[in-house]
Amino acid sequence: MSEPIPASSSAASGHAEIAAALQARWPEHRVAPSLARIAALTELLGDPQRAYPVIQLTGTNGKGSTAAMIDALLRSVGLRTGRFTSPHLMDVTERIRIDGEPISYERFDEVWNEIEPYVAMVDQQQLDGVSMTFFEVITGMAYAAFADAPVDVAIVEVGLGGTWDATNVADAQVAVITPIDLDHTHLLGDTVEKIATEKAGIIKAGATAILAGQQPEAARVLLERAAEVGASVQREGLGFGVLDRVMGVGGQQLRLDSAEGPIDEIFLPAYGAHQAENAAVALAAAEAFTGLNRIDPDVVREGFAAVEVPGRLEVVRRSPPIILDAAHNPHGARATAAAIAESFDFNPLVGVIAIMRDKDAEGLLREYADTLTTVVVTQVASTDRGMAADDLADLAAGIFGSDRVQVEPRMDDAIETAIALAEIDGATAPGVLITGSVIAVGEARTLLVGHRPSSAPGAVAVTGDGVLDASSAPVIDETESDDDAKDYSYGPEYGGDQFGDEFAAEGEDGGDFATGPDAEHEDAYGPLSDDITDDVTDDAGQQSPEGGQQ
């Protein structure tokens, strides 16, 4: 995969101006739940989202990695793919990919110039009292770019939730639900069941739902939705799954269950049990798209071997190793900590952590209490929505002890300090983990990697003057997934009445926003909302207000 590189400084300048103007719109972290605006735009554009079949993904963690794996598998089959994800690490063009590559700065700007008059028309209508949001515009741009390409299939990751997400103007042929847990509770609901109800909205009539292993309350909501709309279901642990995995150099070797039996000797360049589970989900989704026909095992192996997901257990330096991971909630941090314990043998391991204010910072820090030797707390520079370093330090001291916590408000200083702490006398296998937020990881990646093709492996050296230079290191992947108790035993094929009376009236009152936001969350949705959400990179030339999920 390569980072988008502008053809000239003038192109970069023009792109930065457009990206900044787009991100000046209603940001992703302030939700205005309605499909009216995006539907009005896509109608003016000729409904480009209906020009190709769509695979849509939602869930709490693992969406980005799973989307990348589906993309790689379908490209190996010979299909031309479009992929829309959020947020981005370093540039907004990362969100719109064709054949696995981010669209160029020039093409991004062209697409905006083509649809700008139509966006202005929708803005003038002030539907639900709001102009088009940044995420709605970028979603429209992605759908238009895919139609123009044209692509054979679009792999689309929701921004936040499901029912009211702008991407849901498309009717997906395959709906993928990765593990669901608590996140964005001020917007989606404060229970797993309520969050699952909102995310279940991507399951449409006649679709195939690919369900990762879920907590029982989430599984029941998803199955009830599938029964209600007449969608078929493939379930992890019953219809597909990980049969075996063995750790290897640079990743792991898997044996996955497929539509027509096991496929072995699959190399996945990613660490952690959660990534193996993401791979099983991705294979099931790809097979569902191809009509539940088995994809040739050699093609499967080729696809998985090519998977890259920057910012997910990505090694960007070797001496000492520096790992970037965008885990931003306890659920994701738990998977990251488990993957590190299984795949690495750091001693010491120093953490650089920055967290958004709306996140469960205490829960996230507790997941790393037994993994990190020392913590350097910092804060993001590209948005004021991050937790202040001093506040995060106070919280961390209560978990790690004050002697294991240091404060460095600037990310570059925090990285320098962490390297120094890792390389103390007596260190046998020092390492640094930078985590806590997608925005934090994006800022660190810009410092450590810069805008260079990631296909050209490079290590990073930090000079005594604090200047970060590039040299040579590998790229490894990861995302957040599920280590909680999951319900794999969904039971036999179900009918619409299998769930009994307890589900009869559960839709509207169980946190589903089908008729608008719950009253208890209403203030979070209005035009005056100051809600903060985190972790998905959604910057423009650098970092921007986050939005989506993750």
Side-chain angles (χ1 to χ4, degrees):
M1 182 192 84
S2 62
E3 306 293 347
I5 300 176
S8 65
S9 59
S10 60
S13 175
H15 171 70
E17 290 177 4
I18 288 174
L22 288 174
Q23 293 184 171
R25 288 177 167 270
W26 185 297
E28 290 172 291
H29 67 275
R30 297 178 64 185
V31 179
S34 169
L35 295 181
R37 293 173 299 278
I38 183 64
L41 176 63
T42 53
E43 182 178 1
L44 290 170
L45 296 176
D47 284 324
Q49 78 279 10
R50 306 197 188 286
Y52 37 78
V54 172
I55 299 172
Q56 190 176 17
L57 300 91
T58 191
T60 299
N61 291 311
K63 297 179 298 298
S65 289
T66 305
M69 293 176 192
I70 295 171
D71 190 347
L73 285 171
L74 294 181
R75 280 187 282 118
S76 292
V77 170
L79 298 178
R80 189 173 201 199
T81 61
R83 175 163 37 118
F84 178 61
T85 58
S86 61
H88 55 272
L89 284 172
M90 294 189 294
D91 190 86
V92 70
T93 54
E94 298 168 23
R95 295 175 179 240
I96 304 173
R97 295 172 182 265
I98 296 175
D99 286 335
E101 296 294 330
I103 65 173
S104 68
Y105 287 176
E106 291 84 355
R107 182 58 188 143
F108 180 93
D109 298 350
E110 287 172 0
V111 173
W112 165 243
N113 290 330
E114 290 165 2
I115 77 165
E116 182 179 13
Y118 303 102
V119 172
M121 293 171 65
V122 178
D123 285 346
Q124 289 174 359
Q125 298 179 56
Q126 288 291 292
L127 298 172
D128 298 315
V130 179
S131 297
M132 291 200 73
T133 70
F134 165 67
F135 188 75
E136 289 167 348
V137 173
I138 200 73
T139 299
M141 290 177 64
Y143 285 147
F146 296 157
D148 287 344
V151 301
D152 297 315
V153 56
I155 301 125
V156 177
E157 176 187 352
V158 303
L160 179 67
T163 299
W164 291 112
D165 188 74
T167 63
N168 209 32
V169 72
D171 293 324
Q173 178 178 325
V174 178
V176 179
I177 318 289
T178 66
I180 295 172
D181 208 287
L182 297 176
D183 199 12
H184 303 297
T185 54
H186 60 306
L187 298 174
L188 302 179
D190 56 3
T191 68
V192 168
E193 187 174 12
K194 289 180 180 179
I195 294 172
T197 302
E198 170 66 9
K199 293 181 183 294
I202 75 165
I203 302 175
K204 305 292 182 61
T208 299
I210 305 298
L211 307 183
Q214 305 286 349
Q215 297 179 53
E217 56 268 42
R220 293 166 66 187
V221 168
L222 298 174
L223 289 173
E224 194 268 343
R225 167 68 178 183
E228 177 187 339
V229 301
S232 61
V233 176
Q234 294 289 316
R235 293 150 283 180
E236 184 180 3
L238 187 61
F240 63 90
V242 180
L243 300 177
D244 191 24
R245 67 188 191 95
V246 178
M247 298 310 301
V249 177
Q252 54 192 309
Q253 185 163 288
L254 308 179
R255 185 169 184 255
L256 301 180
D257 200 7
S258 75
E260 296 182 13
I263 300 178
D264 57 14
E265 297 183 351
I266 297 171
F267 177 70
L268 179 68
Y271 295 118
H274 64 293
Q275 288 289 36
E277 292 172 2
N278 290 341
V281 171
L283 178 57
E287 289 184 326
F289 180 75
T290 59
L292 290 180
N293 295 317
R294 185 182 191 184
I295 300 173
D296 182 271
D298 287 338
V299 172
V300 171
R301 296 183 187 105
E302 176 187 345
F304 278 122
V307 169
E308 292 183 13
V309 186
R312 276 77 179 180
L313 278 183
E314 178 187 17
V315 178
V316 293
R317 172 180 166 153
R318 281 299 188 189
S319 182
I322 297 179
I323 298 177
L324 306 179
D325 191 85
H328 55 274
N329 54 42
H331 187 241
R334 190 176 314 127
T336 296
I340 288 174
E342 175 186 69
S343 306
F344 300 93
D345 189 23
F346 292 123
N347 183 26
L349 177 60
V350 180
V352 175
I353 299 183
I355 303 176
M356 296 295 104
R357 292 199 309 271
D358 72 315
K359 293 299 175 177
D360 181 3
E362 181 178 355
L364 188 150
L365 290 169
R366 288 192 184 282
E367 295 298 339
Y368 290 126
D370 296 330
T371 300
L372 300 177
T373 308
T374 306
V375 175
V376 181
V377 297
T378 188
Q379 62 195 53
V380 297
S382 53
T383 175
D384 60 3
R385 296 186 298 104
M387 182 177 289
D390 288 340
D391 293 340
L392 185 57
D394 290 341
L395 193 59
I399 296 169
F400 291 85
S402 57
D403 59 325
R404 293 171 60 193
V405 177
Q406 292 203 26
V407 184
E408 291 288 356
R410 288 171 51 108
M411 178 64 73
D412 53 354
D413 292 336
I415 294 172
E416 295 274 12
T417 297
I419 291 171
L421 290 170
E423 293 184 322
I424 59 172
D425 291 341
T428 57
V432 173
L433 171 67
I434 303 174
T435 188
S437 161
V438 175
I439 285 183
V441 167
E443 292 184 355
R445 198 173 194 274
T446 299
L447 287 169
L448 295 166
V449 178
H451 292 276
R452 63 159 173 81
S454 60
S455 56
V460 178
V462 182
T463 72
D465 299 324
V467 178
L468 300 168
D469 301 316
S471 211
S472 96
V475 178
I476 300 169
D477 157 37
E478 182 212 3
T479 320
E480 307 107 319
S481 189
D482 200 313
D483 231 352
D484 299 328
K486 290 186 270 187
D487 180 11
Y488 291 118
S489 54
Y490 290 86
E493 293 300 323
Y494 55 88
D497 59 354
Q498 177 171 335
F499 302 96
D501 295 338
E502 61 180 312
F503 290 104
E506 205 165 84
E508 294 182 2
D509 297 328
D512 187 343
F513 300 140
T515 57
D518 279 358
E520 62 180 326
H521 299 300
E522 188 169 358
D523 290 343
Y525 288 83
L528 299 180
S529 166
D530 288 324
D531 291 315
I532 327 165
T533 28
D534 151 22
D535 288 85
V536 247
T537 23
D538 87 289
D539 339 352
Q542 200 166 1
Q543 302 298 125
S544 82
E546 310 144 74
Q549 344 111 45
Q550 268 190 273

